[in-house]
Amino acid sequence: MKTLKKPFGGALTFASLTVALMLMPLAAQAYVGPGAGLTAIGTMIALVAALVLAVVGFVWYPMKRMMRKRKSQQDLPTAAEKQR
């Protein structure tokens, strides 16, 4: 089975990979000040709290109402018990 040869072979791929690796920084030396850090932490806490409250609001409260309704229906006397 014959394979198609590229006109430039692997040289173009090798050159582009080499240039990309040379342009990548080895280490990011960055400083996050206290204001930006506290803002980022506060944002993450708010995001987690919003997700938890969304689950509580959309899942727990309807289930709680359904369980309360089912319990109240069980507590109501039936027609046979009323005739006694």
Side-chain angles (χ1 to χ4, degrees):
M1 176 160 96
K2 285 188 174 182
T3 59
L4 297 174
K5 290 188 176 185
K6 295 180 184 176
F8 297 106
L12 185 61
T13 305
F14 179 73
S16 61
L17 182 62
T18 304
V19 169
L21 287 175
M22 289 173 64
L23 292 175
M24 287 178 49
L26 295 177
Q29 298 177 358
Y31 171 73
V32 176
L38 287 176
T39 302
I41 292 170
T43 301
M44 289 300 140
I45 291 171
L47 179 65
V48 169
L51 290 174
V52 168
L53 288 175
V55 168
V56 168
F58 287 112
V59 175
W60 174 247
Y61 282 131
M63 286 178 58
K64 188 175 173 182
R65 267 196 328 219
M66 181 181 66
M67 290 185 297
R68 187 178 296 154
K69 183 178 179 184
R70 185 175 290 172
K71 183 179 176 186
S72 68
Q73 286 176 351
Q74 289 174 353
D75 290 343
L76 291 176
T78 61
E81 291 175 355
K82 287 182 181 179
Q83 289 179 356
R84 287 187 206 179

